[in-house]
Every structure is written in structure tokens, then in C-alpha cells.
Amino acid sequence: MVHHFDLAHGSTRDLNHALHAFNGTDSEAAWQVKNANGLHNLAVGLDAPLTVDIEGHVGYYCAGMNKFARVTVHGNAGPGVAENMMSGVVRITGNASQYAGATAHGGLLIIERSASSRCGISMKGVDIVVRGDVGHMSAFMAQSGRLVVCGDAGDALGDSLYEARLYVRGNVAGLGADCVEKVMKDKHKYELDSLLREAGVSGADAAEFRRFGSARKLYNFNVDNADAY
Amino acid sequence: MPTKRRRKRDSVNTAELHSRLRESATFPRQVIAEIQRAARTGIYDIRGFGAKRVMPTFDDLLFLGASMSRYPLEGYRERCDTSVTLGTRYAKKPIELKIPITIAGMSFGALSAPAKEALGRGATIAGTSTTTGDGGMTPEEREHSRLLVYQLLPSRYGMNPDDLRRADAIEVVVGQGAKPGGGGMLLGQKISERVAGMRNLPAGIDQRSACRHPDWTGPDDLKIKIQELREITEWEKPIYIKIGAARTYYDTALAVKAGADVIVLDGMQGGTAATQDVFIEHVGIPTLPALRQAVEALKELDMHRKVQLIVSGGIRSGADVAKALAMGADAVSIGVAALIALGDNSPDLEDEYNALGSSAGYYDDWHEGRDPTGISTQNDELAARFDPELGGRRLANYLRVLTLETQTLARANGKSHVHNLEPEDLVALTIEAAAMAKVPLAGTDWIPGHGKF
């Protein structure tokens, strides 16, 4: 059964309340949401394997803190899409604004066009696949998980990175403090290949990507590294 | 010859020496020691314990009490209520406290698991709330805290929607009094496997806590962020915003605009948080003027008592609590004092403090993880020394003393509820405190900067 919700007639509060009724269940109900019209905080705090399709552009924090649900935005997403996501899949068919996937702990975030600055900031285990480019300071202080960029990356990629792994196919405008290019081994190509397949990205070959990660020089404070900041 | 010279030197007695040597006001011994320490180590001093410098405090205010023109209440007989309700603006489930004193946020990581448990036990016995910290919510503290405030911090270590739903209130931490504008660093030696696991980082590395939130940048964004938190938790839980005392009038107004149910204001004396000594001592303003500015902003917006105000930073006694309430706070929060009540800086451990190059009453290196009391450590052996039941009991005792003292002062001023205390009950002992608190200098009607001389 497919549930329909029209945001031209119901509020954000009504939608989230209706979706939360499934929280803690294993319901795989499908939801079609119309007229998103840039509204903030749509489909936040879900905790069930629902399938939610949102028609139109969304504002801030869509699918924030998601668990288990598969949320697709048929449009562009505002700042903080899928912030602190725990699990599930969030797909944006358009572009995403700043801090996409910020601090997310798990699940998969797919952005079919480009993401703005600070994509994957402080990510804590999420996988993010971007078909297009990412802006500056992406993966800032990223702790774990994987960020895949099929296009170009902006300045200061991976600044103050911890254990997250970054794969970029295009140009990197610049690397942030303690972020270095690393050797692409077979296991990385295999990992990247399966991520691209899981994200449904075709036309990108894992062999075309470069890998970036932490040099781990700033892991314990040493005054002789003060110039690095 | 050397023997003769030594004898001559010995002939100068100590008393004479002390009256002859002149210490520099610019370079006193502590300043010299710090320059020497900096030259030796090449790194600034990091510590906890808040600002140690002398500054105007609640000690510079006095209550007038009652006499001919005011009518006091009978001690031990006439009721003086202390209850507080927090989160009446938007939350479906506001928090009801029995006493106007809460426990401030201190992280698991900074504190040991038994210390966190003790804070929960003590607060629960006394009928008040405790608060998580950077590092998430532990099952121990949730289990032992009847009312638990869950902090949303820039690092988002351990942040997850399940704990958000399990919390009784949510506190968005924008700043702390010890370091308005600063982040944090938990040194590698305190990062046990458990702490590392909760923060998704390898054990043994320094963990930086960011100074800015990752997904909002100003009050307009924060308003949307707070709506997100309300949506996730079905608008049930009060949302607090914690700010360090800086530009307090405007920061309070912006926190109201951003949609806070409760504002937590932390003055510069606040600080179990470890940070650079230079930051602690030279950034932010004292609790006294900050509280007055926050109350002015709330009154200006007709939000006083509608958005509740919790003030922290240097609260030690019932006198401090009563004066903060009289100036317009709805409640106070304690951090350092709570740790001391648990047993921190106990003279019983003098030898062990000496071994760490400190002394009971001075120990402030809580970030180093070597705390002999077992409170601010992740060393299992040290943590095992700490008895959470005894610690909880001590904290409850201390909270009761604070409450009794507060009631005593309220009754003396004729108040049947501690919230009925008002600025008109106060006078200042110093010109500085009069100007900062905007209450008259004792025996005059003079408030510097306002009205006639």
C-alpha cells in the first residue's frame, strides 16, 4: 500500500508525526510526498525501513538522523541533508547544499548532481557518493566512513581528517591539513567499485579515482607541528 | 676562605631577607614560574577549574533582609517553596525540578563512569536534573538520572536519535563560560577503548571538539535546527541553548529568537572544561554582569520567566543561589562545586596530589586523566577507587545544604517562594559590583552609570 501526503494541504509536523507512527516497527510501507516546496525538516527522525519519495526541492535537514528508511528527494536539497544519519539510504536526484551528511554515523547518502561546501563534515561512518563535484572543506574532520566524488573537489579537502577514506575522480583544488594522497590498492578499488554499484552509479570506473586519507601526523599534539595550523 | 664567605652569607637572617627583597608587581613569582615553564615545554598551560583571577562576584552583594518596612517568614515553620518548571514555552513535557539547582554538563570521557553515575544518583535524590557532555549518553547515567539533559555539541560525538528520544530535555551547546568561542581537546591518554568507541575514533589519539557546529552557522539556521530536534522528538522535550558569557544581552535575545525554551548562561568562572589558561583568564565576562544582561534582554522581549534562565559559573553556596535568583535567574547550575562535593581536591589525598606536582585545593589538571580521586579519569584502577553511591549521597547532601541556605535567605526577605526574591532585596558592597549587577551601593541609592551621583 502506498501512502500519499500532500504538503500543500498538510504541515511538516503532520507528515513527520505520521511517519513516526512507524518508528520501531519493521514496516516497509511506501510514502509519496508531494509539494515539498523547499520546506525544512521533512522526514526527520525516521526509525523504520519505510520508502519515502519526496517530490520537489527540500529545505534544511531533510532525512536528518535517519534510521533504516530509504528516502529519495526528487529535486535539490538544502543544507544538512541526512545530517547525523545512522542507517538507511538517502538519495538526492539534484544538487545538495552545504554540510550534506554532516556527522552521519552510517547508511548511504547519494547525491546525483553536486554537493556544496563541507560535504561529509565530521562524518562518523556514513558512505557518501557524489556524482558531480563537492565544494571546499569537504570531509573536514571526517572521522570514519567513505566519501566518493566522481567530479572535482574544492579547496582544503579532508582538512584535519581522521580515519575516513576519500576517493576523487576529478581534480582536487587543494588538500587540507594532514590530508595526503595514498596508494590505490586492489582492496580500495574493490571497495570503491562496490560502493559505486550500491549507489547505482554507472560510467565511472574505480581505476580512474585517487585515494586520500590522513597522514596521521596531527593525531597527538606536538608543538613542533604548530605551523600545520 | 670559602668557609669564611659562607659564614657571612648565613649571617643574613630570613626575616631581614624578606623585608629587604622587593617582589616585582609586573613579574611576581607566579609570572616568572610561568615564563620558565613555557620556555621549558614550548606549550601553553591547559587546565580546568575556571578563571582563578579576582573579579566581582555574588560575594560583593548583600541581602537587606526584613525589618520595620518588610515582613519576614518564620524559619522552619512557614513554607518557602523551591520548585522550578523548565521548558514552558513550547515543550509538551516541561521539566519539573524540586530545587532550583541543576548539575551542569560534564562528559563521560572527561569524567569516569562511576563519577557520572554519582552525579545522576545525587541529582535524583535531590529532585533535580543532570546533564550529559561531549561524548554522548552512557547507560549508567541514564539509568541513575531521573531527569537527564542530553547535550547537542559541535563534535556530535555519540549523538544519535535513540538517546535524543530517551532524554528529558535537549541542550544545544553554543559555548561555555570557560571558553566562549573555543573548542576542546580530550588528550590521548584519556581515550580508553570505550571512550574511543563512543566517539568513533581510534583509542589513544587526541580528540578535538570543534568550536562551531557542523550544520548551522547563525541564529537563523539554529532556529531551523531546533525545529528539527523538536520534530524528531515530537515537540515533547524542552530545548535549552547554552551560551558562554560574552555579548550576553544580544546572545540572549538571539537565543530567544532561535526558539529556546530555556537559556543556560555560563559565566567566565565556569569551567570543569579544560582549555588554555590564557583563554580561561582573558576571554568572557564574569557571571555577575552576564546574568544582569541576560535578564535585561529577557525583560525587554517580555520573555522573563517565559523562557527560563539557568545561570552557572562560580556557584558555591546558598548565598550564591539566592543572589542569582534575586537577580532574575530561574535556576542555577553547578559543575566544579559538584565535583568537589563528590570528593575532588580532598585533603585526604594530599600525598598523591603532591606526587602529581599539585596540592589539595589546587588540583586543576582534570584533563590529564591522573585524578587520584577517580573522578576525572578513564584509568580503570583510579576509577575503581570512587564509590558512586557514597559520591551520590555526598552530592545530595550538598544540594540540600544549598537549598536550605537559599530558603533561609528567602524567608529573611519575606519570600514564600525563592523566585519571589528580587533585585530590590540586594545591595552592593563595591562600586564595581553595583555597576555590574545594577543594584545600589549599600547605604546609597547610587548605581554607577545610572541616575544621579
Side-chain angles (χ1 to χ4, degrees):
Chain A
M1 173 187 171
V2 180
H3 301 261
H4 292 274
F5 194 99
D6 188 347
L7 285 160
H9 298 110
S11 67
T12 303
R13 181 77 285 268
D14 296 337
L15 171 66
N16 286 328
H17 184 68
L19 294 171
H20 290 173
F22 297 89
N23 277 6
T25 72
D26 53 8
S27 169
E28 295 181 6
W31 281 73
Q32 295 279 351
V33 179
K34 281 199 302 186
N35 291 312
N37 205 20
L39 286 169
H40 306 311
N41 301 322
L42 297 176
V44 297
L46 305 190
D47 186 10
L50 308 174
T51 301
V52 182
D53 280 274
I54 302 175
E55 296 292 340
H57 307 311
V58 296
Y60 280 59
Y61 309 126
C62 181
M65 303 222 184
N66 186 55
K67 282 177 75 185
F68 305 117
R70 304 176 67 88
V71 179
T72 302
V73 175
H74 300 271
N76 299 325
V81 65
E83 69 86 21
N84 214 83
M85 171 161 64
M86 305 303 291
S87 60
V89 180
V90 175
R91 180 184 292 273
I92 310 301
T93 65
N95 297 300
S97 184
Q98 304 173 88
Y99 7 98
T103 75
H105 288 69
L108 175 64
L109 170 62
I110 305 145
I111 296 159
E112 295 195 346
R113 297 184 74 177
S114 290
S116 181
S117 62
R118 294 180 167 79
C119 179
I121 183 172
S122 201
M123 53 196 271
K124 294 166 165 53
V126 68
D127 290 323
I128 303 175
V129 178
V130 182
R131 286 292 300 262
D133 308 330
V134 295
H136 64 266
M137 294 293 273
S138 286
F140 177 46
M141 291 180 82
Q143 295 178 210
S144 57
R146 290 143 325 164
L147 172 64
V148 179
V149 183
C150 299
D152 302 336
D155 269 326
L157 176 72
D159 192 281
S160 303
L161 190 68
Y162 291 100
E163 294 293 296
R165 293 197 285 283
L166 318 180
Y167 297 99
V168 183
R169 188 166 67 155
N171 293 321
V172 174
L175 296 176
D178 215 29
C179 182
V180 291
E181 182 167 355
K182 296 191 167 184
V183 181
M184 203 57 187
K185 294 178 189 159
D186 283 347
K187 65 174 182 183
H188 300 118
K189 283 179 192 154
Y190 177 81
E191 158 178 282
L192 177 55
D193 192 50
S194 59
L195 267 172
L196 290 168
R197 264 189 283 121
E198 199 185 336
V201 172
S202 55
D205 181 353
E208 301 165 339
F209 285 75
R210 291 188 291 159
R211 179 169 76 101
F212 301 88
S214 176
R216 302 190 178 96
K217 284 185 181 153
L218 304 180
Y219 272 13
N220 288 96
F221 189 82
N222 179 340
V223 72
D224 294 327
N225 288 337
D227 293 348
Y229 310 100
Chain B
M1 289 307 281
T3 322
K4 199 178 175 185
R5 211 182 300 153
R6 190 176 302 137
R7 195 175 303 136
K8 192 179 177 188
R9 207 184 292 152
D10 288 346
S11 71
V12 180
N13 71 43
T14 319
E16 187 190 335
L17 195 67
H18 282 169
S19 55
R20 194 154 51 77
L21 297 178
R22 182 173 177 189
E23 183 162 46
S24 166
T26 311
F27 290 94
R29 277 163 288 177
Q30 281 189 340
V31 169
I32 291 171
E34 171 53 23
I35 294 171
Q36 290 165 338
R37 193 204 59 75
R40 198 168 56 244
T41 64
I43 184 166
Y44 38 49
D45 184 28
I46 294 178
R47 64 173 181 84
F49 222 119
K52 292 188 172 183
R53 62 159 69 221
V54 175
M55 67 185 90
T57 68
F58 292 118
D59 278 346
D60 301 312
L61 303 181
L62 296 174
F63 280 109
L64 288 169
S67 181
M68 294 283 278
S69 57
R70 292 285 186 280
Y71 196 75
L73 293 187
E74 192 63 44
Y76 307 104
R77 289 290 176 275
E78 287 178 295
R79 187 165 176 77
C80 177
D81 199 358
T82 60
S83 61
V84 189
T85 306
L86 301 172
T88 52
R89 187 184 187 191
Y90 292 120
K92 282 187 206 159
K93 295 184 178 171
I95 285 202
E96 307 276 351
L97 304 178
K98 282 188 194 159
I99 60 171
I101 307 151
T102 67
I103 308 299
M106 290 174 273
S107 71
F108 169 69
L111 302 190
S112 64
K116 287 295 284 177
E117 180 185 328
L119 292 175
R121 284 175 178 272
T124 299
I125 295 169
T128 189
S129 61
T130 185
T131 312
T132 66
D134 214 350
M137 184 188 289
T138 66
E140 293 97 325
E141 69 181 330
R142 177 62 281 190
E143 184 188 337
H144 294 287
S145 305
R146 191 176 68 81
L147 295 170
L148 182 59
V149 183
Y150 185 36
Q151 288 190 326
L152 181 91
L153 292 119
S155 71
R156 307 282 164 87
Y157 289 137
M159 172 49 56
N160 70 81
D162 299 325
D163 287 339
L164 211 54
R165 287 183 277 255
R166 259 193 285 274
D168 298 294
I170 298 158
E171 181 170 302
V172 179
V173 180
V174 178
Q176 306 175 56
K179 44 181 171 182
M185 174 99 90
L186 192 60
L187 293 179
Q189 57 262 41
K190 279 183 89 169
I191 314 298
S192 65
E193 292 289 343
R194 183 174 176 200
V195 173
M198 285 179 72
R199 300 182 183 210
N200 310 81
L201 283 170
I205 74 169
D206 298 341
Q207 297 192 351
R208 284 163 292 167
S209 297
C211 66
R212 295 192 308 265
H213 279 261
D215 58 356
W216 61 268
T217 50
D220 297 331
D221 289 359
L222 176 55
K223 183 174 190 171
I224 303 168
K225 183 77 204 167
I226 285 178
Q227 277 168 1
E228 184 203 6
L229 297 171
R230 292 197 193 280
E231 284 294 325
I232 290 170
T233 55
E234 291 284 312
W235 289 72
E236 285 179 353
K237 303 176 199 298
I239 308 239
Y240 303 5
I241 296 179
K242 178 173 181 174
I243 52 174
R247 296 164 181 86
T248 312
Y249 179 85
Y250 296 105
D251 293 342
T252 303
L254 290 170
V256 170
K257 180 177 180 286
D261 289 304
V262 175
I263 295 169
V264 181
L265 170 66
D266 194 21
M268 77 177 286
Q269 299 100 309
T272 57
T275 195
Q276 300 94 333
D277 178 83
V278 71
F279 208 144
I280 297 176
E281 296 289 353
H282 299 277
V283 184
I285 66 170
T287 305
L288 192 68
L291 169 55
R292 193 213 80 232
Q293 288 184 314
V295 173
E296 277 179 1
L298 290 171
K299 286 186 170 164
E300 182 78 14
L301 296 166
D302 192 25
M303 280 293 171
H304 189 226
R305 303 289 187 216
K306 296 175 188 164
V307 169
Q308 286 81 33
L309 178 65
I310 301 178
V311 69
S312 57
I315 302 291
R316 307 147 301 172
S317 65
D320 291 340
V321 179
K323 290 168 188 175
L325 299 184
M327 284 180 63
D330 293 275
V332 301
S333 194
I334 57 169
V336 172
L339 298 189
I340 293 170
L342 295 186
D344 174 73
N345 268 296
S346 164
D348 297 346
L349 297 167
E350 180 62 11
D351 292 345
E352 298 192 49
Y353 284 124
N354 290 166
L356 296 171
S358 189
S359 178
Y362 298 85
Y363 186 67
D364 57 17
D365 287 325
W366 294 322
H367 59 293
E368 288 183 348
R370 299 187 293 170
D371 185 352
T373 62
I375 295 170
S376 63
T377 185
Q378 292 301 319
N379 175 314
D380 289 339
E381 218 168 286
L382 290 173
R385 291 175 169 195
F386 183 79
D387 177 349
E389 272 186 60
L390 179 64
R393 172 56 58 184
R394 283 185 177 148
L395 177 62
N397 283 343
Y398 172 60
L399 288 168
R400 281 173 175 155
V401 170
L402 291 181
T403 306
L404 287 168
E405 288 179 343
T406 306
Q407 287 171 304
T408 300
L409 295 171
R411 284 197 189 94
N413 287 280
K415 313 297 185 190
S416 60
H417 193 294
V418 291
H419 282 168
N420 295 344
L421 286 164
E422 54 197 330
E424 287 69 25
D425 295 320
L426 295 169
V427 292
L429 275 172
T430 65
I431 294 172
E432 288 82 359
M436 289 183 187
K438 272 197 193 169
V439 301
L441 193 64
T444 76
D445 55 1
W446 183 40
I447 298 172
H450 291 268
K452 61 184 186 292
F453 279 90

mmCIF file of all heavy atoms in Angstrom, chain A residues 6 9 13 15 21-22 36 83 93 121 125-126 139 150 178 186-187 203 227-228:
data_model
loop_
_atom_site.group_PDB
_atom_site.id
_atom_site.type_symbol
_atom_site.label_atom_id
_atom_site.label_comp_id
_atom_site.label_asym_id
_atom_site.label_seq_id
_atom_site.Cartn_x
_atom_site.Cartn_y
_atom_site.Cartn_z
ATOM 1 N N ASP A 6 0.254 15.272 0.817
ATOM 2 C CA ASP A 6 0.450 16.495 0.029
ATOM 3 C C ASP A 6 0.760 17.661 0.981
ATOM 4 O O ASP A 6 -0.098 18.072 1.770
ATOM 5 C CB ASP A 6 -0.825 16.801 -0.771
ATOM 6 C CG ASP A 6 -0.607 17.952 -1.748
ATOM 7 O OD1 ASP A 6 0.431 18.651 -1.634
ATOM 8 O OD2 ASP A 6 -1.477 18.152 -2.621
ATOM 9 N N HIS A 9 -1.356 20.690 1.548
ATOM 10 C CA HIS A 9 -2.539 20.637 2.414
ATOM 11 C C HIS A 9 -2.234 20.232 3.858
ATOM 12 O O HIS A 9 -2.990 20.562 4.759
ATOM 13 C CB HIS A 9 -3.598 19.698 1.802
ATOM 14 C CG HIS A 9 -4.074 20.167 0.469
ATOM 15 N ND1 HIS A 9 -3.755 19.515 -0.704
ATOM 16 C CD2 HIS A 9 -4.800 21.264 0.125
ATOM 17 C CE1 HIS A 9 -4.288 20.187 -1.723
ATOM 18 N NE2 HIS A 9 -4.923 21.252 -1.249
ATOM 19 N N ARG A 13 4.790 19.103 10.394
ATOM 20 C CA ARG A 13 4.506 18.421 11.658
ATOM 21 C C ARG A 13 3.606 17.201 11.421
ATOM 22 O O ARG A 13 3.852 16.120 11.945
ATOM 23 C CB ARG A 13 3.829 19.417 12.634
ATOM 24 C CG ARG A 13 3.485 18.869 14.021
ATOM 25 C CD ARG A 13 4.719 18.780 14.914
ATOM 26 N NE ARG A 13 5.599 17.672 14.564
ATOM 27 C CZ ARG A 13 5.530 16.459 15.112
ATOM 28 N NH1 ARG A 13 4.649 16.202 16.028
ATOM 29 N NH2 ARG A 13 6.375 15.519 14.739
ATOM 30 N N LEU A 15 3.221 15.505 8.654
ATOM 31 C CA LEU A 15 3.941 14.470 7.905
ATOM 32 C C LEU A 15 4.862 13.688 8.833
ATOM 33 O O LEU A 15 4.829 12.447 8.859
ATOM 34 C CB LEU A 15 4.756 15.108 6.770
ATOM 35 C CG LEU A 15 5.712 14.135 6.057
ATOM 36 C CD1 LEU A 15 4.933 13.056 5.307
ATOM 37 C CD2 LEU A 15 6.645 14.880 5.097
ATOM 38 N N ALA A 21 4.820 7.295 13.352
ATOM 39 C CA ALA A 21 3.926 6.234 13.838
ATOM 40 C C ALA A 21 4.506 4.859 13.521
ATOM 41 O O ALA A 21 4.182 3.880 14.185
ATOM 42 C CB ALA A 21 2.550 6.395 13.212
ATOM 43 N N PHE A 22 5.390 4.787 12.513
ATOM 44 C CA PHE A 22 6.011 3.504 12.148
ATOM 45 C C PHE A 22 7.318 3.257 12.902
ATOM 46 O O PHE A 22 7.899 2.180 12.774
ATOM 47 C CB PHE A 22 6.303 3.475 10.631
ATOM 48 C CG PHE A 22 5.073 3.558 9.781
ATOM 49 C CD1 PHE A 22 4.559 4.788 9.381
ATOM 50 C CD2 PHE A 22 4.412 2.402 9.384
ATOM 51 C CE1 PHE A 22 3.420 4.864 8.597
ATOM 52 C CE2 PHE A 22 3.268 2.464 8.598
ATOM 53 C CZ PHE A 22 2.768 3.702 8.201
ATOM 54 N N ALA A 36 6.938 19.511 -1.831
ATOM 55 C CA ALA A 36 7.912 19.807 -0.760
ATOM 56 C C ALA A 36 8.201 21.305 -0.710
ATOM 57 O O ALA A 36 8.337 21.884 0.367
ATOM 58 C CB ALA A 36 9.199 19.034 -0.992
ATOM 59 N N GLU A 83 21.723 14.786 7.893
ATOM 60 C CA GLU A 83 22.691 15.038 8.971
ATOM 61 C C GLU A 83 22.534 13.972 10.046
ATOM 62 O O GLU A 83 21.431 13.542 10.354
ATOM 63 C CB GLU A 83 22.513 16.462 9.532
ATOM 64 C CG GLU A 83 21.243 16.715 10.299
ATOM 65 C CD GLU A 83 21.332 16.343 11.758
ATOM 66 O OE1 GLU A 83 22.451 16.261 12.287
ATOM 67 O OE2 GLU A 83 20.265 16.109 12.359
ATOM 68 N N THR A 93 18.239 13.531 -6.115
ATOM 69 C CA THR A 93 18.425 13.450 -7.573
ATOM 70 C C THR A 93 19.053 14.727 -8.123
ATOM 71 O O THR A 93 19.608 14.729 -9.209
ATOM 72 C CB THR A 93 17.086 13.191 -8.302
ATOM 73 O OG1 THR A 93 16.234 14.325 -8.096
ATOM 74 C CG2 THR A 93 16.417 11.925 -7.786
ATOM 75 N N ILE A 121 31.149 16.743 6.456
ATOM 76 C CA ILE A 121 31.877 17.310 7.601
ATOM 77 C C ILE A 121 31.695 16.407 8.818
ATOM 78 O O ILE A 121 30.584 15.963 9.119
ATOM 79 C CB ILE A 121 31.405 18.760 7.890
ATOM 80 C CG1 ILE A 121 32.203 19.381 9.038
ATOM 81 C CG2 ILE A 121 29.916 18.833 8.171
ATOM 82 C CD1 ILE A 121 31.921 20.869 9.245
ATOM 83 N N GLY A 125 31.161 7.488 9.865
ATOM 84 C CA GLY A 125 30.869 6.123 9.440
ATOM 85 C C GLY A 125 29.962 6.020 8.232
ATOM 86 O O GLY A 125 29.797 4.946 7.660
ATOM 87 N N VAL A 126 29.373 7.132 7.810
ATOM 88 C CA VAL A 126 28.474 7.118 6.654
ATOM 89 C C VAL A 126 29.278 6.929 5.358
ATOM 90 O O VAL A 126 30.473 7.218 5.318
ATOM 91 C CB VAL A 126 27.686 8.448 6.581
ATOM 92 C CG1 VAL A 126 28.599 9.627 6.247
ATOM 93 C CG2 VAL A 126 26.531 8.360 5.593
ATOM 94 N N ALA A 139 34.641 16.825 3.856
ATOM 95 C CA ALA A 139 35.236 15.829 4.763
ATOM 96 C C ALA A 139 36.124 16.488 5.825
ATOM 97 O O ALA A 139 37.079 15.885 6.310
ATOM 98 C CB ALA A 139 36.016 14.761 4.010
ATOM 99 N N CYS A 150 32.771 11.795 -7.791
ATOM 100 C CA CYS A 150 33.020 11.427 -9.193
ATOM 101 C C CYS A 150 33.529 12.618 -10.016
ATOM 102 O O CYS A 150 34.147 12.446 -11.052
ATOM 103 C CB CYS A 150 31.756 10.859 -9.828
ATOM 104 S SG CYS A 150 31.181 9.372 -8.993
ATOM 105 N N ASP A 178 46.997 17.817 7.086
ATOM 106 C CA ASP A 178 47.143 16.394 7.421
ATOM 107 C C ASP A 178 46.441 15.451 6.456
ATOM 108 O O ASP A 178 46.352 14.261 6.724
ATOM 109 C CB ASP A 178 46.667 16.110 8.855
ATOM 110 C CG ASP A 178 47.504 15.023 9.528
ATOM 111 O OD1 ASP A 178 48.690 14.894 9.173
ATOM 112 O OD2 ASP A 178 46.982 14.304 10.390
ATOM 113 N N ASP A 186 44.397 -2.768 -4.570
ATOM 114 C CA ASP A 186 43.285 -3.558 -5.118
ATOM 115 C C ASP A 186 42.075 -3.549 -4.184
ATOM 116 O O ASP A 186 40.941 -3.449 -4.624
ATOM 117 C CB ASP A 186 43.735 -5.006 -5.377
ATOM 118 C CG ASP A 186 44.571 -5.095 -6.652
ATOM 119 O OD1 ASP A 186 44.565 -4.093 -7.412
ATOM 120 O OD2 ASP A 186 45.219 -6.116 -6.863
ATOM 121 N N LYS A 187 42.362 -3.648 -2.867
ATOM 122 C CA LYS A 187 41.232 -3.692 -1.925
ATOM 123 C C LYS A 187 40.440 -2.384 -1.956
ATOM 124 O O LYS A 187 39.232 -2.362 -1.740
ATOM 125 C CB LYS A 187 41.712 -4.022 -0.507
ATOM 126 C CG LYS A 187 42.612 -2.988 0.124
ATOM 127 C CD LYS A 187 42.921 -3.344 1.572
ATOM 128 C CE LYS A 187 43.788 -2.281 2.209
ATOM 129 N NZ LYS A 187 44.186 -2.583 3.572
ATOM 130 N N GLY A 203 29.161 4.354 -15.435
ATOM 131 C CA GLY A 203 30.020 5.225 -16.233
ATOM 132 C C GLY A 203 31.205 5.779 -15.468
ATOM 133 O O GLY A 203 31.883 6.696 -15.926
ATOM 134 N N ASP A 227 52.936 24.875 13.031
ATOM 135 C CA ASP A 227 52.830 25.537 11.727
ATOM 136 C C ASP A 227 51.757 24.916 10.832
ATOM 137 O O ASP A 227 51.270 25.549 9.900
ATOM 138 C CB ASP A 227 54.174 25.464 10.979
ATOM 139 C CG ASP A 227 55.239 26.280 11.674
ATOM 140 O OD1 ASP A 227 54.872 27.062 12.565
ATOM 141 O OD2 ASP A 227 56.418 26.125 11.323
ATOM 142 N N ALA A 228 51.393 23.656 11.094
ATOM 143 C CA ALA A 228 50.415 22.971 10.247
ATOM 144 C C ALA A 228 49.041 23.628 10.320
ATOM 145 O O ALA A 228 48.214 23.467 9.438
ATOM 146 C CB ALA A 228 50.302 21.500 10.650
#
